[in-house]
Amino acid sequence: MNTAPTPRLALLISGLGLGGVQRTMLTLAGGLAARGLAVDLLVPDDRGPFRDQVPANVRLVNLSRWWLRAPVIRARKRRKALLMAPAIAGYLRRERPAALLSASHYVNLGALWGRELAGTGTRLVISQRTQLSVAITNSSLPLLRRRPLLAWMTRRYYPRADAIVAVSDGVADDLATVARLPRERVQTVYNPTDLDFIARRAAEPAAHPWLEDGGAPVIVAVGRLAAQKDFATLLRAFARVRQQRPARLLILGEGRLRPALEAQVAELGLGTAVAMPGYAENPFCALARADLYVMSSRYEGLPGALIQALACGCRIVSTDCPSGPAEILDQGRFGRLVPVGEAPALAEAMLAALDTPPDPQRQRARAGQFSVPRAVDAYLDLLLGDEAAAFRQAAG
């Protein structure tokens, strides 16, 4: 009889706030635990909207220390991630997991430093979730301090990881360039998408009256009201669409640009045709009933909402931004791709998509390429290395 202990894996994220990294890492943690592994989810603070979504078979570990709870640190998430290193080291010495997986650049650096402090030799896999070059350029730190510092830190410390993962080929290419890594050192593993969960939530009642009133076509967009998502261009494109045919635009998300976007809606005379009800805990019931899903982002890593739209059977129009959309949509076979920031091209694609018969079954089949089992298998190999095959055999 096999008496080998169950391998323990640790997943490290920046917290339980709203975000794509949190959602996908929670999904991955649950998928790994479902394979019979002992899984710990490490966070610097266990408060946040996603706390209730931590899978029941995953142990939540709060790394909080007084220096992480200080208000000035709470205001600077990147500093908090870096200052996690001593707490990570303590966890690694105490629990001795077989491997640690971290997500996003500052958290990756904290994990690298924490392992060095621990001296345990724990296998460490770091994952890059967005374009590193964009993260450097868009940092809120002053220019002269920011660009050399983050670039230098990644170049110095990233090579010390046992394995490096990117969520798309575009992110991998960018990371290899910025961090000066051999491209073959960066492996692409697409984020896991829980297709069964999406199907269940998509069947729930519609969250907005437009989605079931039988009126003009409803175009849905999902994302933070932030510059990255470029809803300003979407609104300009939608105004052009409205000149050609009746349509309504439903933007699900919240953020600092709400006042500016609401002013733009009024300026364009779209008040009765645009709704921005805020963050949607269940966007899937909207996606499943939408006539069209549109993503207008300036940049992404691997946009989860685009995969979710596929899983809901949506027709899709997306900017061909760096990176992810072209990979998800197979260079345009599963949705129209348009240049970033070009409202006329976006409007033209939206009009063409609305005139194209939907094929929900084909879209859902494409979403299967981003399933949880595929991601779990890939991460098992990365985290357990040569022991992955033995674990699979023992687990049956």
Side-chain angles (χ1 to χ4, degrees):
M1 183 174 70
N2 181 18
T3 59
T6 301
R8 178 170 297 280
L9 300 178
L11 277 62
L12 175 67
I13 58 177
S14 63
L16 296 172
L18 300 174
V21 174
Q22 287 80 357
R23 186 184 295 276
T24 57
M25 290 292 280
L26 286 170
T27 299
L28 178 62
L32 289 167
R35 296 287 182 94
L37 292 148
V39 178
D40 290 345
L41 181 68
L42 279 55
V43 292
D45 188 331
D46 62 3
R47 296 169 294 180
F50 277 171
R51 181 185 172 90
D52 293 339
Q53 296 189 32
V54 176
N57 55 359
V58 171
R59 183 174 70 162
L60 183 63
V61 177
N62 185 359
L63 297 173
S64 181
R65 296 292 187 274
W66 67 265
W67 60 83
L68 297 176
R69 293 195 299 266
V72 66
I73 302 304
R74 188 178 299 124
R76 294 286 190 180
K77 293 182 180 179
R78 58 183 61 87
R79 291 186 190 172
K80 179 184 285 189
L82 299 179
L83 289 174
M84 282 194 295
I88 294 167
Y91 166 84
L92 294 177
R93 294 192 198 102
R94 182 175 67 252
E95 300 293 342
R96 302 279 173 163
L100 171 65
L101 169 66
S102 59
S104 74
H105 36 274
Y106 285 107
V107 176
N108 291 337
L109 291 167
L112 285 158
W113 296 344
R115 183 179 68 163
E116 290 195 10
L117 286 173
T120 56
T122 306
R123 181 170 176 82
L124 175 59
V125 179
I126 62 175
S127 64
Q128 188 68 31
R129 321 301 289 190
T130 59
Q131 298 264 330
L132 182 57
S133 61
V134 174
I136 292 170
T137 302
N138 283 10
S139 172
S140 61
L141 290 173
L143 181 62
L144 293 178
R145 292 174 52 201
R146 121 194 124 197
R147 299 188 69 174
L149 182 59
L150 181 53
W152 177 84
M153 287 193 295
T154 55
R155 290 166 187 165
R156 178 176 176 83
Y157 293 103
Y158 268 33
R160 302 183 185 183
D162 294 291
I164 303 172
V165 176
V167 296
S168 68
D169 287 336
V171 169
D173 293 342
D174 181 77
L175 175 60
T177 298
V178 176
R180 297 178 183 171
L181 292 163
R183 179 60 179 83
E184 59 271 17
R185 276 225 62 193
V186 187
Q187 179 173 333
T188 297
V189 179
Y190 292 134
N191 286 331
T193 302
D194 191 336
L195 303 177
D196 292 335
F197 173 79
I198 290 174
R200 291 194 303 271
R201 298 302 306 272
E204 294 179 5
H208 194 278
W210 285 359
L211 298 166
E212 54 186 3
D213 65 6
V218 179
I219 301 167
V220 172
V222 180
R224 291 176 296 109
L225 307 184
Q228 174 193 351
K229 305 303 181 181
D230 199 9
F231 289 132
T233 294
L234 175 57
L235 289 173
R236 291 195 298 273
F238 179 65
R240 288 173 172 265
V241 169
R242 288 270 295 174
Q243 293 172 359
Q244 301 293 321
R245 62 175 300 164
R248 295 174 290 183
L249 176 61
L250 182 64
I251 301 177
L252 303 177
E254 195 52 80
R256 292 181 295 178
L257 290 186
R258 172 176 286 277
L261 293 172
E262 288 176 340
Q264 186 181 5
V265 168
E267 180 182 347
L268 293 170
L270 299 173
T272 61
V274 175
M276 294 190 293
Y279 171 76
E281 186 272 332
N282 176 14
F284 314 117
C285 61
L287 292 172
R289 293 165 174 82
D291 295 282
L292 175 65
Y293 174 74
V294 178
M295 194 187 83
S296 52
S297 295
R298 297 178 182 176
Y299 63 91
E300 292 284 349
L302 187 80
L306 207 56
I307 301 171
Q308 293 158 8
L310 283 173
C312 291
C314 285
R315 291 176 287 190
I316 292 173
V317 172
S318 172
T319 52
D320 189 11
C321 68
S323 57
E327 294 175 54
I328 293 169
L329 300 178
D330 194 13
Q331 309 305 317
R333 290 185 59 228
F334 295 89
R336 287 171 168 79
L337 293 166
V338 301
V340 172
E342 295 191 12
L346 185 58
E348 182 179 349
M350 291 162 66
L351 287 165
L354 288 171
D355 288 336
T356 302
D359 191 347
Q361 186 173 354
R362 181 172 181 267
Q363 299 295 85
R364 294 188 185 105
R366 176 61 180 174
Q369 300 298 309
F370 306 92
S371 67
V372 174
R374 284 174 179 261
V376 169
D377 283 339
Y379 276 107
L380 274 176
D381 291 334
L382 287 164
L383 291 164
L384 296 181
D386 295 338
E387 298 178 10
F391 170 76
R392 288 191 179 95
Q393 184 176 9

